[in-house]
């Protein structure tokens, strides 16, 4: 069979479908409408001469041909990425691309480093994704990017990591909160204080829960919110205390919208890391970015 009508775009769509196993989510990931995505998958199935997926209730499953096609699509796209890296190496750093993913909180300090790199290498195209921790781990496992800026390094993956900055977590409250005037606040004093928390699985949420467990307290969780910006606004409105990275609080603390509380055991100082899979062959742009970060720490 000669597959003349198969396009790279269709292969990317099939790889996305194999990743998400959901037509709507795969379409969203490719910035397409579900109907347009479905039409392309149907055309690919016609070109391959076999159905690629089937529906059982609300669940989508790839057929045997679908699995084979998705596997081939990943291999072809990976080989094209390698070709791009090889060509970039031939050209040096005058051209090329850097695929970078970072945890949402990291963008408050990492954008300055990225700006420095872009000024040094204006010919490099930066492709950047800002995601939550679960999405970060998924991207890392699938080797979808060159480098990842994150807090805690997963222990169940073969990852090489380098610490690039401290990440101090602090407790903040609205400026009229009674605890703002207190000093050396014992953790037990937070027992009945409502907290505004990040979503389960986030590094900040996990650090907060470890602190609560160490000190034998279970403060009420008033709200679970999906972004630092929303938590800052809710805390400034007096809806509860929050544990956030000091990196995200520069403007609010300077402007008096929030106050950092003097709680015993805080700040909790973690590390920001840049990481990649050990088996990853880094393209020249990623190697140059990593070297720039290392020089900055020297």
């Amino acid at each position: 069979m000669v597959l003349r009508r198969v396009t790279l775009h269709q292969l990317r769509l099939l790889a996305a479908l194999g990743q998400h196993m959901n037509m709507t989510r795969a379409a969203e990931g490719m910035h397409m409408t579900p109907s347009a995505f479905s039409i392309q998958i149907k055309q690919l199935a016609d070109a391959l001469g076999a159905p690629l997926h089937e529906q059982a209730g609300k669940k989508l499953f790839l057929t045997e041909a679908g699995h084979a096609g998705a596997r081939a699509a990943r291999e072809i796209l990976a080989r094209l990425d390698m070709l791009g890296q090889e060509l970039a190496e031939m050209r040096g750093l005058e051209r090329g691309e850097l695929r970078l993913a970072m945890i949402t909180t990291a963008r408050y300090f990492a954008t300055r480093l990225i700006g420095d790199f872009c000024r040094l290498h204006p010919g490099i195209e930066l492709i950047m994704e800002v995601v939550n921790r679960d999405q970060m781990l998924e991207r890392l496992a699938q080797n979808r990017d060159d480098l990842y800026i994150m807090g805690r390094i997963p222990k169940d993956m073969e990852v090489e990591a380098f610490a690039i900055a401290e990440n101090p977590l602090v407790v903040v409250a609205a400026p009229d909160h009674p605890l703002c005037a207190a000093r050396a606040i014992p953790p037990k004093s937070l027992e009945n204080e409502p907290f505004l928390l990040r979503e389960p699985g986030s590094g900040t949420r996990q650090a907060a829960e470890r602190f609560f467990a160490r000190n034998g307290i279970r403060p009420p969780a008033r709200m679970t919110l999906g972004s630092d910006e929303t938590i800052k606004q809710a805390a400034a409105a007096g809806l509860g205390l929050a544990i956030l990275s000091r990196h995200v609080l520069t403007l609010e603390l300077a402007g008096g919208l929030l106050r950092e509380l003097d709680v015993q055991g805080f700040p909790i100082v973690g590390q920001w890391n840049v990481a990649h899979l050990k088996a990853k062959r880094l393209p020249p742009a990623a190697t140059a970015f990593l070297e720039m970060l290392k020089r900055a720490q020297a």
Side-chain angles (χ1 to χ4, degrees), residues 84-98:
Q85 293 177 20
E86 292 166 5
L87 294 174
E89 289 173 358
M90 297 174 191
R91 295 190 298 260
L93 278 175
E94 293 181 7
R95 297 178 63 186
E97 66 179 30
L98 169 62

Side-chain angles (χ1 to χ4, degrees), residues 187-195 197 208-209 211-222:
K188 283 291 184 183
S189 298
L190 306 180
E191 180 81 56
N192 298 314
E193 294 288 339
F195 269 80
L197 299 173
E209 290 176 341
F211 174 80
F212 296 152
R214 275 198 312 271
N215 290 280
I217 60 176
R218 297 183 65 183
R222 171 163 284 173

Side-chain angles (χ1 to χ4, degrees), residues 12-297:
R12 290 189 178 93
L13 300 188
L14 181 56
L17 186 61
Q19 174 194 340
H20 294 284
M21 299 300 286
N22 180 283
M23 192 75 70
T24 300
R25 285 202 298 271
E28 289 174 352
M30 298 300 294
H31 308 289
M32 297 175 65
T33 64
S35 60
F37 187 96
S38 178
I39 289 170
Q40 288 291 315
I41 292 295
K42 176 64 168 58
Q43 291 176 350
L44 177 59
D46 291 343
L48 296 177
L52 300 176
H53 65 88
E54 57 190 8
Q55 202 79 25
K58 293 185 177 180
K59 288 191 174 182
L60 180 145
F61 298 90
L62 293 185
T63 62
E64 184 178 359
H67 281 295
R71 184 166 56 250
R74 290 192 296 270
E75 293 172 356
I76 291 168
L77 295 173
R79 185 62 190 93
L80 285 175
D81 283 343
M82 288 180 62
L83 174 60
Q85 293 177 20
E86 292 166 5
L87 294 174
E89 289 173 358
M90 297 174 191
R91 295 190 298 260
L93 278 175
E94 293 181 7
R95 297 178 63 186
E97 66 179 30
L98 169 62
R99 294 181 177 272
L100 180 66
M102 68 175 71
I103 294 291
T104 51
T105 306
R107 71 184 188 274
Y108 291 92
F109 81 93
T111 47
R112 176 183 56 80
L113 301 173
I114 293 168
D116 292 342
F117 180 78
C118 290
R119 282 187 288 273
L120 287 171
H121 305 288
I124 299 296
E125 178 185 0
L126 177 66
I127 302 170
M128 185 170 68
E129 297 286 342
V130 180
V131 296
N132 63 32
R133 181 169 176 82
D134 286 344
Q135 293 168 329
M136 171 73 74
L137 295 179
E138 181 182 354
R139 296 183 72 88
L140 178 60
Q142 296 174 354
N143 193 26
R144 294 177 62 187
D145 311 278
D146 299 319
L147 296 171
Y148 302 83
I149 297 178
M150 62 174 70
R152 291 178 302 106
I153 301 301
K155 296 180 180 179
D156 58 347
M157 298 186 200
E158 291 291 320
V159 173
E160 190 167 322
F162 176 78
I164 56 174
E166 288 187 345
N167 179 28
L169 299 180
V170 298
V171 185
V172 293
D176 58 353
H177 194 284
L179 288 177
C180 289
R183 294 292 175 266
I185 302 167
K188 283 291 184 183
S189 298
L190 306 180
E191 180 81 56
N192 298 314
E193 294 288 339
F195 269 80
L196 309 166
L197 299 173
R198 285 294 303 265
E199 72 281 1
S202 79
T204 304
R205 171 74 172 256
Q206 291 179 352
E209 290 176 341
R210 287 194 298 270
F211 174 80
F212 296 152
R214 275 198 312 271
N215 290 280
I217 60 176
R218 297 183 65 183
R222 171 163 284 173
M223 292 184 187
T224 296
L225 301 166
S227 76
D228 294 329
E229 290 300 321
T230 307
I231 289 179
K232 287 190 293 184
Q233 293 174 21
L239 297 181
L241 305 184
I243 296 175
L244 292 169
S245 170
R246 197 179 276 154
H247 287 298
V248 314
L249 295 163
T250 304
L251 295 178
E252 289 77 13
L253 294 177
L257 296 176
L258 290 170
R259 291 280 299 276
E260 181 179 329
L261 301 185
D262 183 15
V263 178
Q264 294 176 12
F266 281 88
I268 299 172
V269 180
Q271 294 287 336
W272 288 118
N273 301 282
V274 61
H276 60 85
L277 293 177
K278 283 186 178 180
K280 176 76 174 181
R281 180 185 177 186
L282 293 178
T287 300
F289 184 69
L290 190 57
E291 290 302 318
M292 185 193 78
L293 296 180
K294 290 180 177 179
R295 287 195 301 270
Q297 296 301 304

